[in-house]
Amino acid sequence: MQLLLAAVVVLPLLGAVAALLPAPPGLKGRDPDQAVLRHGVTVTGVVLAAAVALAVGFDHDHPARMQATTDISWIQALGVRIHLGIDGISLPLLVMTALLTFLCALYSYFHLPAGPSPKAFVALLLVLEAGTLATFAVLDLVLFFLAFEMVLIPMYFLIARWGGAQRTYAAWKFILYTLLGSVVMLLGLLLVGLKSGTFDMVALATDNGPNSQLSHTVQLLAVLAIGIGLAVKAPMWPLHSWLPDAHTAAPTVGSVLLAGVLLKMGTYGFVRIALPIAPDGMHTFAPYLAAFAAVGIVYGSLACLALARRGAKGDLKRLIAYSSVGHMGFVLLGIATMTPTGVNGALFANIAHGLITGLLFFLVGALKDRYGTTDLDQLAGRTGAALYGRAPRFGGLLAFGAIASLGLPGLAGFWGEMLAMFGAFEPAAGLSRPAFLTFMALAGLGTLLTAAYLLIVVRRVCMGGKEPAEDGGAEALGTAGPEEHGATRTAPVIPDLARYEYAAWSPLAVLTVLAGLWPAALLGLTDPAVQQLLGGGK
């Protein structure tokens, strides 16, 4: 188990280095580009297999205990150790990261985004995977920060070199926001380590009682500093403005990994660091975190409604990006309740959002490839996208993703949001219940608004229908209305799902259904670990 966890973290880095080297003569395939793309699929596949083996070998009877641990002294003068381990909180995120990265590599093998060398693309994808996996596996504050920052450079280049319109602006905005937040976070991590005398996250989590070496003031400063850095990555309103631009400009696989994995690093940091290490400071800031989360839920939904309305020239990819602000608001609200119910809901919502929004970004990217645009007015013009009639399997899967995202009972999106609101109904002792009831009501309003904009999107894109010609939809899709030619022209034929698209997207749809029908499989892992985490390691 130790070797498996180490392999999960290290193999992507070794694969990234190997991707930049010339392919051996017997493995070149049809051309060097195909060989390096196949290399990316192979490495991510091996990492996924190792992650699944970890999950199978995990002691499910004791999910609160750190398992597959490695603890080696690294920088002795600073007390920094190479400390790895997984429990019921980190294991699901580790497996989901390995799965999403493998599916992105598989999709890119058949549909590589336009840009520079495929070697660089595969190497950056693997470095990104290594950083995200390490974030969920390390148990040292300094290593956590290094892994947290490791993902910034590959994501910057994926956006800047393989992205779409305004990719340079979006890439710079992404890295500047996250770097500024990370600088503040580093100060908070150093404050905790220096004041407590250790950077070990397990030791710190079990030493947070009355005899804790962190005073109330230190905890306040630590949560404020660390929380700002984590909130930028989460992303929490109003620190979210980098997200829509980054998603809109990023290539399809970049958007999938950004939504499915990178956003989870911020919320995971709140659960793994802020809650157990500085509970007093977290208790003080919890109402403010919940307030920002509730506002973000409503704000994200209203922004999506504005983009979805007719004539708004809304971008479907940007709409899904704004929906992430709302969905991650539920995660932050659950964490802010500081209750087992709320935190479990937050962790469940993390996984559900990764599966569902990853699927939606895959679908929207493929929709853009077919139509050349993600402008809703152009897609839903007089000829309309009408995917149900033209590409029924594609349209059905898009509708499934939208229904899952709005939180339909029986699918994964339902349980996390419901548990987060249950946690807000009865927050931790000492937190204002009237305030959290207000936040719960706002979150409930957000669920209604979410259903509204997603059903509008499904109606306009999947069903088509007659819409005014002024929106330019018919002309943009290379068709014309009957009054222009005297007869109705046949709508352009678009391909339905290809085999590689089935292979890349079906696992996400299947897991969305399984998690919705069998939530105990995930909650059985997280709940004992959350109970121990909130109980000070006891």
Side-chain angles (χ1 to χ4, degrees), residues 178-203:
T178 49
L179 275 178
L180 288 173
S182 297
V183 169
V184 181
M185 183 177 74
L186 176 61
L187 296 176
L189 295 176
L190 291 176
L191 176 65
V192 170
L194 294 175
K195 288 292 184 179
S196 62
T198 180
F199 290 102
D200 188 276
M201 293 158 66
V202 176

Side-chain angles (χ1 to χ4, degrees), residues 38 73 90 122 134 151 159 173-174 208 227 231 238 263 266 317 323 337 361 364 429 435 457-458 461 484 486 522 526:
R38 186 172 59 235
S73 178
S90 53
V122 170
V151 304
I159 297 172
K173 192 172 183 179
F174 160 76
N208 58 13
L263 302 189
K317 205 174 182 186
S323 76
T337 67
F361 274 118
V364 173
V457 167
V458 170
V461 176
E484 185 173 339
L522 184 56
T526 61

Side-chain angles (χ1 to χ4, degrees), residues 167-242:
R167 59 182 183 265
T168 303
Y169 167 78
W172 274 108
K173 192 172 183 179
F174 160 76
I175 200 165
L176 287 177
Y177 263 74
T178 49
L179 275 178
L180 288 173
S182 297
V183 169
V184 181
M185 183 177 74
L186 176 61
L187 296 176
L189 295 176
L190 291 176
L191 176 65
V192 170
L194 294 175
K195 288 292 184 179
S196 62
T198 180
F199 290 102
D200 188 276
M201 293 158 66
V202 176
L204 287 165
T206 56
D207 185 27
N208 58 13
N211 298 323
S212 173
Q213 298 183 47
L214 300 178
S215 66
H216 182 69
T217 302
V218 170
Q219 291 194 33
L220 286 176
L221 292 174
V223 169
L224 180 62
I226 296 170
I228 289 174
L230 298 174
V232 170
K233 188 67 70 75
M236 182 186 76
W237 181 90
L239 303 174
H240 70 283
S241 62
W242 61 270

Side-chain angles (χ1 to χ4, degrees), residues 12 28 53 64 125 136 180 258 261 288 291 296 379 404-405 421 424 472 523 526:
K28 288 184 178 179
L125 192 68
F136 301 133
L180 288 173
L258 184 58
V261 179
Y288 303 100
L379 290 173
S405 185
M421 288 192 286
L523 293 174
T526 61

